[in-house]
Amino acid sequence: MPILQNQPVASNLIGMVTTIGMVQSVVSLSDFLIKKKYLQSDITRKMVHVVASCWLLVWPLMDPRHWTWRLNVAVPAIYSVQLVVKGLILKDRNDRDVKTMTRTGNPTELVLGPLMFTSVMISIGLNLFQREEGPYIMAVLGFGDGIAPVIGKRYGRTWYKLSGRKKSVEGSVGCFLASLFGLQVFRFVMGYPHYNFYVWTGVSLIGTLVEAASPGDFDNLTIPASIHFALPYIRNLANVIS
């Protein structure tokens, strides 16, 4: 339900400002934690990963009756431009975004995984606004893919490698469980996606398998694409089973 039912423009502006505040807060916090050496960049970049996926939690605040609902992608659009400028033009290793969003501190990494991520956010925000498919994708891409490497680094014991980086079984299990958790977070706050054991399990499993097999940073593209194409089949199969 829009926060101001009779003022769609104001509701959509509030949603946009809320998103800006949320993302800027976690980036600033990540930068602080790195400067104080409380956390390393490989952890903070995943913090940003998870929180950025929660940008669609502002959707219930926004009103689709006015074209300004498209402001829900203002933050990823702005960040996409910043990532290109900082990654390809400025190339400042001391930049806050470089320190919090890259693995090695190389500015050009900003136009790989991070830019792919913001591009997916834009696509979802414009094409899947207030539709169930959006939370399905972001639960896996944000929570699952975001938490998997953290679990793998800390608890990984059984390692394997397919077409991408080395993964751990423990990290893949973490990806699956974190995806389910992300779906529950979205359902609790937004009211959807509606719970269906088979659909939730199928989406999380597909996302986990694709995350495990994807080459390099391209999982930020392969995960959304796989869920987008697999979701109708998963739903049909769930209807047959149930």
Side-chain angles (χ1 to χ4, degrees), residues 165-212:
R165 296 186 179 91
K166 187 167 68 171
K167 310 280 186 177
S168 72
V169 172
E170 293 79 6
S172 294
V173 172
C175 179
F176 176 77
L177 296 177
S179 298
L180 291 173
F181 176 74
L183 286 170
Q184 185 59 49
V185 170
F186 291 138
R187 178 174 177 268
F188 178 78
V189 177
M190 304 170 66
Y192 60 91
H194 299 295
Y195 179 74
N196 182 299
F197 173 81
Y198 300 108
V199 175
W200 284 32
T201 301
V203 167
S204 299
L205 181 59
I206 291 293
T208 298
L209 294 175
V210 172
E211 191 275 338

Side-chain angles (χ1 to χ4, degrees), residues 4-213:
L4 300 173
Q5 292 191 38
N6 298 320
Q7 301 181 52
V9 176
S11 293
N12 295 335
L13 288 174
I14 290 173
M16 181 190 70
V17 171
T18 301
T19 306
I20 293 173
M22 180 172 63
V23 174
Q24 284 297 317
S25 295
V26 72
V27 172
S28 297
L29 175 61
S30 297
D31 185 47
F32 170 79
L33 294 173
I34 289 177
K35 286 181 177 179
K36 295 296 184 180
K37 298 183 179 180
Y38 294 141
L39 292 176
Q40 296 179 335
S41 62
D42 59 338
I43 302 297
T44 59
R45 65 189 295 273
K46 292 307 180 180
M47 286 175 51
V48 175
H49 206 79
V50 172
V51 174
S53 72
C54 293
W55 117 93
L56 48 68
L57 293 177
V58 305
W59 282 2
L61 304 179
M62 305 184 80
D63 195 327
R65 293 176 300 175
H66 192 272
W67 67 266
T68 52
W69 64 263
R70 295 177 177 84
L71 291 174
N72 84 92
V73 302
V75 170
I78 293 171
Y79 257 94
S80 294
V81 174
Q82 287 184 351
L83 292 172
V84 171
V85 171
K86 293 180 178 183
L88 298 180
I89 300 175
L90 299 180
K91 296 184 179 180
D92 179 8
R93 287 182 173 270
N94 294 316
D95 182 86
R96 182 178 69 175
D97 290 338
V98 173
K99 290 191 289 185
T100 59
M101 297 186 194
T102 63
R103 286 187 175 88
T104 65
N106 185 348
T108 57
E109 289 183 28
L110 292 177
V111 297
L112 296 175
L115 182 59
M116 293 178 193
F117 192 96
T118 55
S119 298
V120 168
M121 291 172 68
I122 294 171
S123 179
I124 290 175
L126 293 179
N127 299 303
L128 300 175
F129 180 68
Q130 294 187 346
R131 291 169 55 185
E132 283 198 347
E133 188 175 339
Y136 277 122
I137 292 173
M138 295 312 297
V140 180
L141 184 61
F143 286 81
D145 184 44
I147 292 175
V150 178
I151 298 296
K153 183 176 180 179
R154 185 175 181 86
Y155 300 106
R157 297 292 183 272
T158 307
W159 298 90
Y160 65 93
K161 184 176 181 179
L162 299 177
S163 60
R165 296 186 179 91
K166 187 167 68 171
K167 310 280 186 177
S168 72
V169 172
E170 293 79 6
S172 294
V173 172
C175 179
F176 176 77
L177 296 177
S179 298
L180 291 173
F181 176 74
L183 286 170
Q184 185 59 49
V185 170
F186 291 138
R187 178 174 177 268
F188 178 78
V189 177
M190 304 170 66
Y192 60 91
H194 299 295
Y195 179 74
N196 182 299
F197 173 81
Y198 300 108
V199 175
W200 284 32
T201 301
V203 167
S204 299
L205 181 59
I206 291 293
T208 298
L209 294 175
V210 172
E211 191 275 338

